[in-house]
Amino acid sequence: VKPMTPRCSVPKAVPVGKSASLHCYENEGFPKSTYSWYRNSEPLSPDSKSSTKSHNSSYTLNPATGTLVFHAVHKGDTGRYSCIATNDAGFAKCEEQEMEV
């Protein structure tokens, strides 16, 4: 079963240096969806250490739960975030939401 549009929660504004949690979830898809996050339409690597684009960023992305946690945000984390839920039957994307740091 193709995933339905996931529910995404993105904080509107986060003070520099604070942590931020972004959530993405849908429960219609079968098999269970895996989740990927995008900032300004660029995919976020599941591992912030290996990504060149986000070398200043420290975040943890859990593809199984759809949770993206920034441990300490900085100005460069500002942007439009969206999430895609994917399974064998297809994928669905939530609306982009702005997070300001």
Side-chain angles (χ1 to χ4, degrees):
V1 180
K2 189 175 175 304
M4 67 176 196
T5 302
R7 286 193 300 279
C8 294
S9 64
V10 176
K12 296 266 177 283
V14 185
V16 170
K18 294 288 186 202
S19 67
S21 295
L22 288 67
H23 300 280
C24 180
Y25 181 73
E26 73 81 41
N27 58 4
E28 300 290 307
F30 186 85
K32 238 166 106 42
S33 294
T34 56
Y35 302 94
S36 47
W37 279 95
Y38 291 78
R39 180 177 64 228
N40 303 330
S41 304
E42 291 277 335
L44 288 176
S45 162
D47 176 14
S48 64
K49 304 286 176 287
S50 69
S51 171
T52 49
K53 283 215 172 49
S54 51
H55 56 93
N56 303 335
S57 253
S58 91
Y59 63 80
T60 308
L61 200 173
N62 185 328
T65 62
T67 306
L68 171 61
V69 177
F70 288 93
H71 308 294
V73 295
H74 62 87
K75 283 288 186 199
D77 295 322
T78 295
R80 296 184 318 282
Y81 286 83
S82 60
C83 163
I84 295 182
T86 309
N87 71 8
D88 295 341
F91 65 92
K93 180 176 189 254
C94 71
E95 286 291 309
E96 283 189 331
Q97 294 179 46
E98 188 78 39
M99 180 174 84
E100 198 172 317
V101 177

